[in-house]
Amino acid sequence: MEIDLLPTLPSKLYGSDGGSYFAWLPSELPMLERGSIGASKLSLQKNGLALPRYSDSSKVAYVLQGSGTAGIVLPEAEKEKVIAIKKGDAIALPFGVVTWWFNNDDTELVVLFLGTTLKAHKAGEFTDFFLTGANSIFTAFSTEFVGRAWDLTQDQAKALVASQTGSGIVKLKEGTTMPEPKKADRDGIALNCEEAPLDVDIIKGGRVVVLNTQNLPLVGEVGFGADLVRLDSSAMCSPGFSCDSAYQVTYIIRGSGRVQVVGADGKRVMETTVEAGCLFIVPREDFSLEGVIT
């Protein structure tokens, strides 16, 4: 059975005046389920807060636009890491990490998430488990259970479970105090791909930054690789395939271009124009050829 490889845009899953959360769905992009791949996008307005949650998948987050703050609690860590984030940042998020995201700037903050769903609740989809808010995993527990689990009084347990009435994404009041980011907390977790040393630099061609355990140590715990490819006008990526039989996921950050995909049988299985915001997946048995147009 043939699988549709055409690029798609994400669907909005939920939102509020603080922002929105979008995801690519296996029902619209079947390659997600076939390759156990997840893809989503978070958009936050000024003072928008994506409430603390942990995911059933390891991911790499990439800041497409804006700046803000992210809180990260790694598995088995004793302290939270709070980092400043900005356009071009790649953040490695291993399985089981707890995160929150906040935009304190006038510019919209947009973050892309790509990851593997091999251990996920649903193949091809990220499932987030919220720690606070109306849809928190704790709201169904009695305050007695919550209090005994964390040695809290009944009043403290009630405040923990019920004080946040929003869900998913909320908008904080102007002037709300948030944890201050620490520069040292970025070490090993975040790398700005627009400022990092180039792995490939072709005059009038393009530039490539590859995420690896040298420039982003925590990416080794994520379980997949990632790179940022920037092509100049009329440039192209030579035909290639994944030598380790991996699926290739491509998200178009900006610009437009043409892409061709050829199967192992020598037949062209896709030729189309791609634009900013589109995502497509190349099966591991196929080749891809990409070029930009002006």
Side-chain angles (χ1 to χ4, degrees):
M1 183 178 69
E2 293 185 359
I3 294 182
D4 186 4
L5 302 180
L6 288 175
T8 61
L9 296 170
S11 300
K12 182 178 177 179
L13 298 190
Y14 60 85
S16 69
D17 56 351
S20 302
Y21 182 80
F22 305 82
W24 282 265
L25 304 175
S27 59
E28 300 172 356
L29 187 59
M31 284 300 301
L32 291 169
E33 184 174 4
R34 177 175 169 178
S36 294
I37 297 162
S40 64
K41 189 160 62 172
L42 173 67
S43 171
L44 293 177
Q45 304 300 321
K46 184 177 182 180
N47 295 324
L49 171 66
L51 294 173
R53 83 282 307 274
Y54 69 90
S55 175
D56 62 356
S57 306
S58 57
K59 310 172 186 177
V60 168
Y62 184 80
V63 181
L64 298 170
Q65 175 183 306
S67 61
T69 306
I72 300 171
V73 181
L74 299 172
E76 301 181 5
E78 296 182 356
K79 295 179 63 178
E80 174 186 47
K81 293 181 180 293
V82 181
I83 65 173
I85 57 174
K86 65 178 182 178
K87 180 177 176 291
D89 275 350
I91 303 110
L93 303 173
F95 181 81
V97 69
V98 174
T99 63
W100 55 262
W101 308 81
F102 178 64
N103 181 13
N104 58 352
D105 195 57
D106 291 328
T107 303
E108 181 183 22
L109 173 63
V110 183
V111 184
L112 173 72
F113 300 94
L114 299 175
T116 172
T117 62
L118 285 171
K119 298 180 181 180
H121 180 62
K122 298 178 182 179
E125 296 182 48
F126 297 141
T127 299
D128 289 332
F129 301 87
F130 290 90
L131 304 184
T132 186
N135 58 342
S136 164
I137 59 175
F138 297 118
T139 56
F141 287 106
S142 68
T143 53
E144 177 190 2
F145 271 60
V146 173
R148 294 183 66 177
W150 284 281
D151 193 24
L152 302 173
T153 66
Q154 287 293 298
D155 288 341
Q156 289 173 327
K158 185 177 180 179
L160 175 66
V161 172
S163 61
Q164 178 54 260
T165 57
S167 61
I169 298 173
V170 299
K171 187 170 185 176
L172 302 184
K173 294 180 180 179
E174 187 71 38
T176 300
T177 301
M178 294 292 292
E180 289 293 327
K182 298 179 180 178
K183 186 176 180 180
D185 285 351
R186 284 179 58 94
D187 295 344
I189 290 181
L191 173 75
N192 191 276
C193 295
E194 296 186 356
E195 300 173 354
L198 299 173
D199 294 285
V200 176
D201 187 5
I202 306 299
I203 297 175
K204 296 183 179 180
R207 292 149 298 283
V208 179
V209 173
V210 179
L211 300 185
N212 53 54
T213 53
Q214 280 71 48
N215 57 21
L216 189 59
L218 202 59
V219 78
E221 298 182 28
V222 172
F224 57 91
D227 50 60
L228 175 66
V229 179
R230 287 171 284 183
L231 295 177
D232 295 331
S233 177
S234 300
M236 64 177 288
C237 289
S238 299
F241 68 99
S242 176
C243 60
D244 58 356
S245 298
Y247 288 84
Q248 300 176 60
V249 183
T250 301
Y251 176 84
I252 309 301
I253 296 176
R254 65 175 179 268
S256 62
R258 293 171 51 207
V259 61
Q260 294 181 352
V261 178
V262 176
D265 58 1
K267 295 181 179 180
R268 189 181 305 160
V269 295
M270 184 180 78
E271 179 175 11
T272 190
T273 297
V274 291
E275 298 179 345
C278 290
L279 181 143
F280 66 93
I281 301 172
V282 178
R284 49 188 165 193
E285 66 270 17
D286 291 345
F287 296 81
S288 67
L289 170 61
E290 302 166 52
V292 299
I293 58 175
T294 57

